[in-house]
Amino acid sequence: MHHSPLASCRMCNELLSIAFYRAVFTELLATAIYVFFGLGSVLDWPETPSILQTSITFNLAAATAVQIAWQASGAHINPAVTVAFLLGSRISLVRSVCYVVAQLAGGIVGAAILYAVTPGNVRGNMGINKVNINISSGQAVAVELILTLQLVLCYFISTDRQRSTGSPAVIIGISVALGHLVGHYYTRCSMNPARSFGPAVITGDFLQQWIFWVGPLIGAALASILYNFVIYYDPKPFSQRLSILKGSYDEEDKEAGVSLGF
């Protein structure tokens, strides 16, 4: 297949752009902030936090992180969200890979800082996700799938410039709180592999880690299919989807009327 010099040049523009690296760094920073404050609400202090307190804290942490990162990176702060946007032809493959790496690094940084500033008798398991002993691994995966499905659907609608305006921080925060109000009883609610991966690295406990990747990623993929092909059909032709995937979709094409979601 022949690739024009212009298309190749466009593909390089993303990697050579300062804005691209700012966006990747912002994903790391915002994820670290989200993980630090979120995990901080589930530590084993003498006053055991309530489910409501934890849900509100994750709500506020998500809204704050999204508000910080919204204009710079699209505020994914979650590998599942990034995968969903990749499948929905809203970001390039290169950007999605860099975002996921940054998010995982941010999760580790956030958990590491929290670990460093917290007394040893309070750290406990650092808020690592654990499956309730009364449910099976399959049920845990199903719960994480459902929780992430609603979160990613909220991401799509609140970042779709054709249907929403302004920052998506409030609605995404509400969606995160909703997940925690129910999911805490089942899995301590992940919906975000970076949120689970960070404390797992710090504690060295990867025993059930696969659940918090499989459930959210499948839920995110289903949400992408539902949003882009069922609820709000996205009529992008295959050639356009391919150019977005390769990172050769330029600003002129965007201005022609197609929103990439952020």
Side-chain angles (χ1 to χ4, degrees), residues 88 90 152-164 222-236 241 259:
R90 293 170 186 258
V152 173
L153 286 175
C154 280
Y155 255 95
F156 273 120
I157 190 61
S158 62
T159 59
D160 191 333
R161 289 178 175 171
Q162 296 178 0
R163 298 176 178 88
S164 300
L222 288 176
S224 186
I225 293 170
L226 286 173
Y227 188 87
N228 294 294
F229 298 99
V230 179
I231 302 174
Y232 296 108
Y233 176 66
D234 184 357
K236 288 189 186 81
R241 292 182 183 277
S259 167

Side-chain angles (χ1 to χ4, degrees), residues 79-80 83 100-101 103-104 141 144-145 148 190-198 200 206 208-220:
V83 168
V100 169
V101 171
Q103 291 153 2
L104 295 177
V141 168
E144 283 293 328
L145 185 159
T148 310
S190 174
M191 303 188 292
N192 183 337
R195 173 259 182 267
S196 300
F197 186 71
F206 293 92
Q208 298 176 321
Q209 183 71 192
W210 68 273
I211 292 172
F212 308 108
W213 283 83
V214 173
L217 290 177
I218 294 176

Side-chain angles (χ1 to χ4, degrees), residues 85-161:
F85 273 58
L86 175 67
L87 295 176
S89 300
R90 293 170 186 258
I91 57 172
S92 69
L93 179 60
V94 168
R95 182 178 291 262
S96 65
V97 170
C98 291
Y99 272 21
V100 169
V101 171
Q103 291 153 2
L104 295 177
I108 295 171
V109 169
I113 294 174
L114 183 65
Y115 185 89
V117 300
T118 303
N121 64 323
V122 174
R123 290 170 185 159
N125 57 22
M126 284 292 295
I128 194 168
N129 290 108
K130 290 289 186 181
V131 175
N132 188 306
I133 60 172
N134 296 310
I135 68 173
S136 68
S137 296
Q139 289 172 318
V141 168
V143 168
E144 283 293 328
L145 185 159
I146 295 167
L147 298 178
T148 310
L149 174 72
Q150 63 85 25
L151 173 64
V152 173
L153 286 175
C154 280
Y155 255 95
F156 273 120
I157 190 61
S158 62
T159 59
D160 191 333
R161 289 178 175 171

Side-chain angles (χ1 to χ4, degrees), residues 31-54:
T31 306
I33 290 171
Y34 172 72
V35 169
F36 177 89
F37 285 97
L39 295 185
S41 70
V42 295
L43 294 176
D44 296 328
W45 293 99
E47 301 82 13
T48 304
S50 67
I51 304 301
L52 182 60
Q53 176 184 337
T54 298

Side-chain angles (χ1 to χ4, degrees), residues 176-189:
V176 169
L178 175 64
H180 279 82
L181 285 168
V182 174
H184 185 91
Y185 295 99
Y186 293 87
T187 60
R188 291 186 181 172
C189 188

